[in-house]
Amino acid sequence: MKKIKLAVVPGDGIGTEVVPHALKVLDTIAELHGGLSFEYEHFDYGCDYYLEHGAMMAEDGLERLGQSDSVFLGAVGDISKVPDHISLWGLLLKIRREFELEINVRPAKVFEGIRSPLLNPKDFDLVVVRENSEGEYSSVGGRMYQGENEIAIQNNVFSRRATKQAMEHAFELAKSRRQHVTSATKSNGIFHSMPFWDEVFKETAQKHRGIETASQHIDALAATFVTHPERYDVIVASNLFGDVLTDIGAAIMGSIGIAPSANLNLNGKHPSMFEPVHGSAPDIVGKEIANPIGQLWTAKMLLDHHGEAEMGTLLLDTMERVTADGFLTPDVSGDKKTGEVTEELIRRLKEK
């Protein structure tokens, strides 16, 4: 029996609502598989934990999370309780940094039954590989002086190791897809880091001659994401550029509530973390209308990561049949409750 130990962190807001539904689905997948089981350890880290303890997680929180095979996260943040810079840096970003989750992977595709805002989405199916540890989101810099003379300096940090690692991951991913990688750049405007990025991309591409490549400036790329997303297969991007592109990807799918993501550790020292793209949405907490698809699709990525791609594909295909038949929450023009969507999915899985 293969056992996957998950550190479950529902977090804040609707995270506490959609995560339990996803765990029911994972248990159903394990039952169907017959040779797979999940062991869950639950952690109440989040904004309520902060109000009680003065920290977003326990002092030994990372050590305890690190004993799992993967971290399954719901959502982090509730500005009515804790300022965002405290909640994010105290939990989500702390895990990403300390666990060396240097690659972020986010797919976007036309999802059956969910209407894209695009007039003609043309069945786009793409994946953004985002360098997740440095780039524009480095903490190098500072502020000085006061009043009209105040200066803020933010330094971008691009290492060859991390840049190349993200690109290698994108090329390997493309081999199992449509054999194409697009690099997001801005070397016509950013003088040092982006020409460096282009050089590393060219070097990496030479090692993968069977993969077609393109390099596109981020402003044009963002526009084409909206006008012709079907042109893209795998896109590799820096931390900031990848962040922007993946939000566009979620938007053109029809709802950020269905978008998943994986934060990957590639050196084997720490567990990877899986989380939906949506936030904690405190305004809809308790209404049972949160879309569970983002958390469920994230569970599919977790299954893939642990070598259970067949079960992951079954889960995604079944989700699309459920949404195609109108089991939709209000954010995608439906009238179903969170639990109704999940229970229909479980029912159909059990029919297999």
Side-chain angles (χ1 to χ4, degrees):
M1 176 71 72
K2 176 180 178 179
K3 180 183 289 186
I4 300 174
K5 183 177 180 180
L6 294 185
V8 180
V9 187
D12 300 307
I14 61 170
T16 62
E17 298 179 1
V18 295
V19 166
H21 289 291
L23 297 184
K24 291 180 184 178
V25 171
L26 283 176
D27 286 337
T28 302
I29 288 289
E31 181 182 340
L32 292 171
H33 185 286
L36 174 68
S37 67
F38 293 95
E39 178 184 332
Y40 307 123
E41 184 172 4
H42 296 264
F43 297 88
D44 60 350
Y45 303 152
C47 289
D48 287 337
Y49 187 93
Y50 181 90
L51 293 179
E52 183 175 352
H53 301 280
M56 290 295 292
M57 66 168 70
E59 187 174 345
D60 64 346
L62 288 174
E63 180 181 350
R64 295 179 64 190
L65 294 175
Q67 295 172 6
S68 66
D69 297 315
S70 285
V71 178
F72 196 52
L73 180 70
V76 176
D78 186 339
I79 198 170
S80 69
K81 299 177 180 179
V82 180
D84 277 346
H85 71 279
I86 293 177
S87 61
L88 291 177
W89 282 94
L91 185 56
L92 178 62
L93 297 181
K94 188 177 182 67
I95 296 172
R96 285 183 182 175
R97 299 267 169 126
E98 297 295 327
F99 282 178
E100 300 177 60
L101 306 180
E102 297 181 331
I103 302 291
N104 181 274
V105 180
R106 296 186 183 182
K109 67 187 293 291
V110 172
F111 209 89
E112 290 294 324
I114 296 179
R115 183 178 178 181
S116 167
L118 302 180
L119 182 63
N120 187 2
K122 297 182 181 178
D123 291 328
F124 68 85
D125 184 349
L126 58 87
V127 178
V128 176
V129 175
R130 167 187 169 190
E131 199 293 310
N132 205 36
S133 65
E134 51 181 39
E136 303 89 348
Y137 289 175
S138 82
S139 56
V140 179
R143 295 169 66 168
M144 60 188 298
Y145 307 133
Q146 301 294 325
E148 292 298 319
N149 293 321
E150 187 173 12
I151 297 172
I153 298 173
Q154 177 71 51
N155 293 329
N156 298 345
V157 175
F158 286 79
S159 69
R160 179 172 292 273
R161 183 198 62 80
T163 300
K164 184 178 180 181
Q165 179 177 253
M167 292 173 178
E168 287 284 0
H169 192 82
F171 275 97
E172 290 300 322
L173 185 58
K175 291 177 181 178
S176 62
R177 292 176 51 87
R178 300 197 307 276
Q179 313 282 312
H180 193 282
V181 178
T182 300
S183 168
T185 185
K186 190 57 181 172
S187 50
N188 64 345
I190 301 177
F191 190 79
H192 294 294
S193 59
M194 284 294 104
F196 171 79
W197 175 277
D198 293 348
E199 291 167 13
V200 178
F201 182 73
K202 185 176 179 180
E203 293 170 7
T204 308
Q206 289 174 348
K207 295 172 53 182
H208 301 273
R209 294 188 180 275
I211 306 295
E212 295 183 25
T213 64
S215 184
Q216 195 170 0
H217 291 140
I218 184 62
D219 44 355
L221 178 51
T224 312
F225 245 52
V226 175
T227 56
H228 293 286
E230 77 283 357
R231 293 180 180 176
Y232 299 105
D233 180 21
V234 178
I235 302 95
V236 63
S238 66
N239 213 336
L240 173 61
F241 292 174
D243 195 3
V244 173
L245 289 175
T246 51
D247 275 7
I248 297 174
I252 62 177
M253 283 197 293
S255 172
I256 199 169
I258 69 172
S261 78
N263 298 274
L264 302 179
N265 171 277
L266 299 184
N267 61 28
K269 296 179 181 179
H270 308 283
S272 295
M273 179 171 67
F274 298 83
E275 56 167 326
V277 174
H278 64 68
S280 60
D283 57 316
I284 62 170
V285 171
K287 298 181 180 180
E288 252 292 292
I289 60 173
N291 195 329
I293 297 298
Q295 195 76 51
L296 295 171
W297 197 349
T298 298
K300 185 267 188 201
M301 297 184 76
L302 183 148
L303 288 167
D304 291 345
H305 177 71
H306 285 283
E308 300 296 338
E310 183 177 349
M311 301 310 293
T313 299
L314 172 64
L315 176 54
L316 183 60
D317 290 347
T318 308
M319 280 194 291
E320 289 201 77
R321 284 194 289 274
V322 167
T323 55
D325 288 342
F327 285 83
L328 304 169
T329 46
D331 62 306
V332 284
S333 303
D335 59 1
K336 302 299 183 184
K337 300 292 187 180
T338 308
E340 290 176 321
V341 175
T342 307
E343 291 306 317
E344 180 63 17
L345 173 61
I346 290 173
R347 186 186 71 79
R348 296 196 187 199
L349 284 169
K350 289 182 175 180
E351 288 179 349
K352 298 298 177 183

PDB file of all heavy atoms in Angstrom, residues 303-314:
ATOM      1  N   LEU A 303      -1.597  14.677  -7.099  1.00  0.00           N
ATOM      2  CA  LEU A 303      -1.556  13.283  -7.535  1.00  0.00           C
ATOM      3  C   LEU A 303      -0.499  13.078  -8.616  1.00  0.00           C
ATOM      4  O   LEU A 303       0.270  12.113  -8.579  1.00  0.00           O
ATOM      5  CB  LEU A 303      -2.936  12.862  -8.055  1.00  0.00           C
ATOM      6  CG  LEU A 303      -4.023  12.679  -6.999  1.00  0.00           C
ATOM      7  CD1 LEU A 303      -5.393  12.587  -7.658  1.00  0.00           C
ATOM      8  CD2 LEU A 303      -3.763  11.435  -6.158  1.00  0.00           C
ATOM      9  N   ASP A 304      -0.452  13.982  -9.577  1.00  0.00           N
ATOM     10  CA  ASP A 304       0.559  13.901 -10.634  1.00  0.00           C
ATOM     11  C   ASP A 304       1.965  13.910 -10.039  1.00  0.00           C
ATOM     12  O   ASP A 304       2.841  13.132 -10.435  1.00  0.00           O
ATOM     13  CB  ASP A 304       0.412  15.067 -11.611  1.00  0.00           C
ATOM     14  CG  ASP A 304      -0.851  14.989 -12.452  1.00  0.00           C
ATOM     15  OD1 ASP A 304      -1.478  13.905 -12.497  1.00  0.00           O
ATOM     16  OD2 ASP A 304      -1.227  16.012 -13.046  1.00  0.00           O
ATOM     17  N   HIS A 305       2.175  14.809  -9.097  1.00  0.00           N
ATOM     18  CA  HIS A 305       3.492  14.973  -8.479  1.00  0.00           C
ATOM     19  C   HIS A 305       3.949  13.696  -7.781  1.00  0.00           C
ATOM     20  O   HIS A 305       5.146  13.381  -7.771  1.00  0.00           O
ATOM     21  CB  HIS A 305       3.437  16.127  -7.475  1.00  0.00           C
ATOM     22  CG  HIS A 305       4.709  16.358  -6.719  1.00  0.00           C
ATOM     23  ND1 HIS A 305       5.843  16.885  -7.295  1.00  0.00           N
ATOM     24  CD2 HIS A 305       5.031  16.117  -5.408  1.00  0.00           C
ATOM     25  CE1 HIS A 305       6.803  16.977  -6.396  1.00  0.00           C
ATOM     26  NE2 HIS A 305       6.337  16.516  -5.243  1.00  0.00           N
ATOM     27  N   HIS A 306       2.999  12.966  -7.235  1.00  0.00           N
ATOM     28  CA  HIS A 306       3.340  11.743  -6.505  1.00  0.00           C
ATOM     29  C   HIS A 306       3.230  10.494  -7.385  1.00  0.00           C
ATOM     30  O   HIS A 306       3.094   9.381  -6.862  1.00  0.00           O
ATOM     31  CB  HIS A 306       2.465  11.617  -5.261  1.00  0.00           C
ATOM     32  CG  HIS A 306       2.863  12.550  -4.160  1.00  0.00           C
ATOM     33  ND1 HIS A 306       3.960  12.326  -3.349  1.00  0.00           N
ATOM     34  CD2 HIS A 306       2.341  13.738  -3.749  1.00  0.00           C
ATOM     35  CE1 HIS A 306       4.080  13.318  -2.476  1.00  0.00           C
ATOM     36  NE2 HIS A 306       3.121  14.184  -2.700  1.00  0.00           N
ATOM     37  N   GLY A 307       3.297  10.682  -8.694  1.00  0.00           N
ATOM     38  CA  GLY A 307       3.355   9.549  -9.607  1.00  0.00           C
ATOM     39  C   GLY A 307       2.032   8.884  -9.896  1.00  0.00           C
ATOM     40  O   GLY A 307       2.002   7.766 -10.416  1.00  0.00           O
ATOM     41  N   GLU A 308       0.922   9.558  -9.584  1.00  0.00           N
ATOM     42  CA  GLU A 308      -0.402   8.998  -9.820  1.00  0.00           C
ATOM     43  C   GLU A 308      -1.123   9.790 -10.906  1.00  0.00           C
ATOM     44  O   GLU A 308      -2.254  10.249 -10.745  1.00  0.00           O
ATOM     45  CB  GLU A 308      -1.218   9.008  -8.511  1.00  0.00           C
ATOM     46  CG  GLU A 308      -0.600   8.205  -7.388  1.00  0.00           C
ATOM     47  CD  GLU A 308      -0.508   6.716  -7.700  1.00  0.00           C
ATOM     48  OE1 GLU A 308      -1.275   6.241  -8.570  1.00  0.00           O
ATOM     49  OE2 GLU A 308       0.325   6.023  -7.078  1.00  0.00           O
ATOM     50  N   ALA A 309      -0.458   9.919 -12.059  1.00  0.00           N
ATOM     51  CA  ALA A 309      -1.007  10.716 -13.155  1.00  0.00           C
ATOM     52  C   ALA A 309      -2.315  10.141 -13.692  1.00  0.00           C
ATOM     53  O   ALA A 309      -3.209  10.891 -14.116  1.00  0.00           O
ATOM     54  CB  ALA A 309       0.017  10.829 -14.283  1.00  0.00           C
ATOM     55  N   GLU A 310      -2.441   8.819 -13.692  1.00  0.00           N
ATOM     56  CA  GLU A 310      -3.677   8.204 -14.191  1.00  0.00           C
ATOM     57  C   GLU A 310      -4.872   8.614 -13.344  1.00  0.00           C
ATOM     58  O   GLU A 310      -5.930   8.967 -13.869  1.00  0.00           O
ATOM     59  CB  GLU A 310      -3.535   6.683 -14.204  1.00  0.00           C
ATOM     60  CG  GLU A 310      -4.746   5.966 -14.764  1.00  0.00           C
ATOM     61  CD  GLU A 310      -4.571   4.458 -14.837  1.00  0.00           C
ATOM     62  OE1 GLU A 310      -3.439   3.976 -14.642  1.00  0.00           O
ATOM     63  OE2 GLU A 310      -5.587   3.763 -15.089  1.00  0.00           O
ATOM     64  N   MET A 311      -4.691   8.598 -12.028  1.00  0.00           N
ATOM     65  CA  MET A 311      -5.772   9.012 -11.143  1.00  0.00           C
ATOM     66  C   MET A 311      -6.005  10.518 -11.241  1.00  0.00           C
ATOM     67  O   MET A 311      -7.143  10.988 -11.136  1.00  0.00           O
ATOM     68  CB  MET A 311      -5.454   8.621  -9.703  1.00  0.00           C
ATOM     69  CG  MET A 311      -5.246   7.124  -9.479  1.00  0.00           C
ATOM     70  SD  MET A 311      -6.569   6.092 -10.157  1.00  0.00           S
ATOM     71  CE  MET A 311      -7.951   6.539  -9.121  1.00  0.00           C
ATOM     72  N   GLY A 312      -4.921  11.269 -11.452  1.00  0.00           N
ATOM     73  CA  GLY A 312      -5.067  12.708 -11.629  1.00  0.00           C
ATOM     74  C   GLY A 312      -5.876  13.042 -12.865  1.00  0.00           C
ATOM     75  O   GLY A 312      -6.744  13.932 -12.845  1.00  0.00           O
ATOM     76  N   THR A 313      -5.610  12.326 -13.950  1.00  0.00           N
ATOM     77  CA  THR A 313      -6.359  12.541 -15.196  1.00  0.00           C
ATOM     78  C   THR A 313      -7.822  12.167 -15.021  1.00  0.00           C
ATOM     79  O   THR A 313      -8.724  12.867 -15.497  1.00  0.00           O
ATOM     80  CB  THR A 313      -5.734  11.727 -16.341  1.00  0.00           C
ATOM     81  OG1 THR A 313      -4.386  12.170 -16.542  1.00  0.00           O
ATOM     82  CG2 THR A 313      -6.523  11.902 -17.631  1.00  0.00           C
ATOM     83  N   LEU A 314      -8.068  11.056 -14.318  1.00  0.00           N
ATOM     84  CA  LEU A 314      -9.452  10.659 -14.034  1.00  0.00           C
ATOM     85  C   LEU A 314     -10.172  11.736 -13.261  1.00  0.00           C
ATOM     86  O   LEU A 314     -11.331  12.077 -13.563  1.00  0.00           O
ATOM     87  CB  LEU A 314      -9.451   9.347 -13.236  1.00  0.00           C
ATOM     88  CG  LEU A 314     -10.813   8.901 -12.688  1.00  0.00           C
ATOM     89  CD1 LEU A 314     -11.778   8.594 -13.820  1.00  0.00           C
ATOM     90  CD2 LEU A 314     -10.644   7.687 -11.768  1.00  0.00           C
TER      91      LEU A 314
END
